[in-house]
């Protein structure tokens, strides 16, 4: 791995915590209007985090409710529910919103957050689409079954082996030969995409327009997103966040790598077309008074991918089209991901772009803290110059009150989000606001949680695990029986429930 270029271990930034009175005057704890009607009580924000706690049918479970209840107890201004699939297709323990039968579970989630935040937290749900990504196959399976034996493959074999008879050999002969063939032969006769399917697992691109379901994405997605947003509104969410970031369908439409030639790829104007059409369809379905936000990339951080210049122009277009907020992320693409083990799927946070999405303390000279703020700041400047007031949300390595206040004071963003720090201590916003900042359990930014996400295991924080006696019946454990499933609970001194286990 060649990133980060310098492997410097950075200490956590020093933390100075405000008094309760100072916090009351702080920008971070001041209200903000989002959209036409909604006000968030503070500019503290928990961005989407998938905890792998839904059923395999995508349904809300008691563990999902507990996960969001715990964040709600910290009373952030905004809490965004994890990436939730807009299609009703099998996708493991990822939440779904692709059918009306998911509404009751999501309604329970909304009620839980309202109750546990005492009505203080605004709740949005991130909705996403993704295309097929398969696990890396056993070579026996790949050559025995998955690989399509085409005339062009036979022709390549005939050429490479200098034997015309390969043009007419049976499918089973070709499969058997390839299974025993050396690497040079395999690399020579397979196409790049076939080789990728062997080495990384088969992965679709949004520009694979020879596949009818990919060709039709521009006709299908606006309706799917709009229906998902309608369900979000019916379930009681305060808004929807369109997931246009990271490795998924909509980010891939925005990508400079998108080579579609049907008016939905190539030039910037064509790449932003479907994302704008989806936004318009969602807006038409949920109305002007409902919050519709977008999370997208300030930089893809991959070779040939979109950069900040693209993101600035896209941001201005989204703002002009009436999006209610923009949440800026970075990287997290498949293109530079590490090769997975056989039987595992490629994970978009293992390459440099993944590092930039969730930077760790092992970093280059710039370090991981607030590393992505300049992207949001540049996009915000352009949007303001265009005369638009759309709020911007920044995230990435934000772990102290001073960082957040500085970002807001300098006008780099309007809301400041923290994912991992809030995972480490879901109460941290409330602790700071009430003057108990010195009790914040500080994230170490070493990505134990991300490792769990990679393996689709129930996500927990390594810091919680240290907080219980093994065998304590009051503490709920993850399905492997070794990790605490929820953060230890906290209440301000003098308030009941301080030591009660969150379970
Ligand atoms: C376990 C885990 C799951 C995540 N899931 C999502 C997700 O569903 N959608 C999303 O946009 N970002 C997701 N992210 C990225 C975070 O929202 C955030 O952008 C990133 O962690 C950087 O912020 P931080 O430094 O405050 O953690 C996830 C991050 C983690 C650690
Ligand atoms: S597991 Fe590590 S990186 Fe993740 S939230 Fe906990 S301390 Fe932070």
């Amino acid at each position: 791995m060649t990133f980060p270029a310098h492997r410097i271990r950075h200490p956590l930034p020093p933390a100075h915590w405000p008094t309760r009175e100072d916090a009351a005057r702080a920008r971070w704890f001041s209200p903000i209007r989002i959209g036409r009607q909604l006000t968030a009580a503070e500019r503290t924000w928990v961005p989407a985090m998938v905890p792998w706690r839904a059923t395999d049918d995508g349904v809300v479970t008691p563990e999902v409710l507990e996960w969001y209840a715990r964040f709600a107890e910290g009373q952030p201004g905004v809490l965004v529910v994890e990436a939730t699939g807009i299609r009703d297709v099998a996708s493991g323990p990822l939440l779904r919103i692709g059918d009306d039968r998911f509404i009751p579970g999501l309604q329970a989630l909304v009620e839980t957050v309202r109750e546990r935040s005492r009505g203080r937290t605004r709740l949005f749900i991130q909705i996403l689409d993704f295309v097929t990504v398969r696990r890396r196959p056993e070579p026996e399976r790949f050559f025995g079954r998955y690989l399509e034996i085409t005339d062009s493959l036979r022709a390549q074999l005939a050429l490479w082996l200098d034997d015309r008879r390969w043009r007419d050999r049976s499918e089973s002969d070709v499969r058997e030969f390839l299974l025993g063939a050396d690497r040079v032969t395999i690399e020579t006769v397979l196409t790049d995409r076939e080789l990728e399917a062997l080495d990384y697992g088969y992965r679709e691109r949004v520009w694979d327009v020879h596949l009818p379901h990919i060709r039709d994405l521009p006709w299908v997605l606006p309706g799917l997103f709009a229906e998902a947003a309608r369900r979000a509104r019916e379930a009681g969410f305060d808004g929807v966040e369109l997931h246009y970031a990271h490795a998924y369908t909509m980010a891939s439409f925005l990508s400079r790598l998108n080579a579609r030639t049907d008016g939905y790829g190539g030039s910037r104007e064509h790449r932003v077309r479907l994302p704008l059409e989806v936004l318009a369809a969602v807006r038409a379905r949920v109305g002007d008074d409902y919050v519709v936000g977008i999370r997208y990339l300030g930089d893809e951080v991959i070779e040939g991918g979109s950069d900040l210049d693209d993101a600035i122009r896209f941001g201005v277009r989204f703002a002009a089209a009436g999006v209610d907020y923009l949440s800026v992320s970075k990287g997290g693409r498949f293109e530079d991901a590490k090769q997975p083990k056989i039987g595992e799927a490629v994970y978009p946070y293992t390459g440099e772009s993944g590092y930039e999405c969730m930077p760790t303390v092992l970093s280059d000279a710039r370090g991981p803290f607030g590393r992505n703020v300049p992207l949001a700041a540049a996009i915000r400047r352009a949007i303001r110059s265009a005369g638009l007031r759309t709020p911007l949300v920044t995230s990435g390595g934000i772990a102290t009150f001073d960082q957040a206040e500085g970002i807001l004071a300098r006008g780099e963003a309007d809301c400041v989000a923290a994912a991992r720090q809030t995972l480490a201590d879901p109460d941290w916003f409330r602790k700071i606001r009430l003057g108990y900042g010195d009790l914040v359990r500080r994230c170490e930014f070493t990505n134990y949680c991300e490792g769990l996400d990679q393996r689709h295991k129930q996500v927990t924080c390594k810091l919680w695990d240290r907080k219980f006696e093994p065998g304590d019946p009051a503490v709920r454990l993850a399905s492997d029986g070794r990790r605490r499933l929820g953060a230890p609970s906290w209440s301000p001194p003098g308030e009941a429930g301080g030591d009660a286990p969150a379970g």
Side-chain angles (χ1 to χ4, degrees), residues 46-52 67 81-84 94 126 128 241 243 245-246 248 295 327-330 347 349 356-359 368 372 394-399 417-423 443 445 447 449-454 459-460:
V46 186
M49 269 183 283
V50 167
W52 300 110
W67 170 265
V81 167
E82 68 204 74
T84 300
L94 188 78
Q126 187 181 61
L128 104 152
E241 179 173 283
H243 197 347
H246 308 152
Y248 311 107
R295 191 164 212 218
S327 173
V328 180
S329 187
K330 187 180 183 190
Y347 180 67
Y349 304 101
E356 294 291 346
C357 186
M358 297 181 218
N372 301 341
T394 188
S395 59
I398 294 162
R420 287 167 295 171
Q421 174 53 53
T422 315
L423 179 60
C443 172
F445 291 93
N447 280 6
C449 49
E450 188 220 18
L452 295 165
D453 176 52
Q454 175 167 7
V459 172
T460 56

Side-chain angles (χ1 to χ4, degrees), residues 149-168 174 177-178 184-192 194:
I149 307 301
T150 58
D151 286 348
S152 127
L153 174 56
R154 286 190 176 90
Q156 286 301 318
L157 270 174
L159 261 179
W160 174 244
L161 300 172
D162 202 13
D163 181 350
R164 284 187 60 80
R165 285 172 300 177
W166 278 101
R167 289 177 177 274
D168 305 312
V174 175
F177 173 78
L178 288 174
V184 178
T185 299
I186 298 295
E187 286 182 10
T188 307
V189 301
L190 296 192
T191 64
D192 288 350
E194 287 165 344

Side-chain angles (χ1 to χ4, degrees), residues 167-243:
R167 289 177 177 274
D168 305 312
R169 295 289 280 268
S170 71
E171 183 174 322
S172 58
D173 277 359
V174 175
R175 289 191 187 285
E176 196 180 331
F177 173 78
L178 288 174
L179 188 56
D182 58 39
R183 182 73 192 176
V184 178
T185 299
I186 298 295
E187 286 182 10
T188 307
V189 301
L190 296 192
T191 64
D192 288 350
R193 290 291 290 275
E194 287 165 344
L195 201 58
E196 179 190 270
L198 169 67
D199 291 342
Y200 288 78
Y202 171 75
R203 177 166 68 81
E204 288 175 351
R205 313 290 203 273
V206 304
W207 47 94
D208 287 343
V209 288
H210 58 282
L211 303 171
H213 65 281
I214 297 283
R215 186 192 58 217
D216 293 345
L217 286 172
W219 288 270
V220 172
L221 286 177
L224 285 174
F225 270 100
E227 273 297 277
R230 192 258 307 159
R231 290 182 196 108
R233 184 165 194 167
E234 274 178 41
F237 286 94
D238 297 303
V240 280
E241 179 173 283
L242 309 179
H243 197 347

Side-chain angles (χ1 to χ4, degrees), residues 401-461:
F401 171 79
D402 288 341
Q403 273 179 295
E405 278 301 283
I407 288 165
L408 296 173
R410 290 187 295 273
E412 292 167 336
D414 302 280
C415 294
V416 179
R420 287 167 295 171
Q421 174 53 53
T422 315
L423 179 60
D425 187 348
D427 302 303
W428 83 301
F429 300 120
R430 189 157 174 249
K431 284 178 179 169
I432 301 170
R433 186 162 56 83
L434 299 182
Y436 297 107
D438 52 340
L439 298 183
V440 169
R441 189 169 46 246
R442 298 192 63 192
C443 172
E444 293 177 1
F445 291 93
T446 49
N447 280 6
Y448 165 88
C449 49
E450 188 220 18
L452 295 165
D453 176 52
Q454 175 167 7
R455 284 169 286 142
H456 295 192
K457 286 183 152 201
Q458 290 165 315
V459 172
T460 56
C461 168

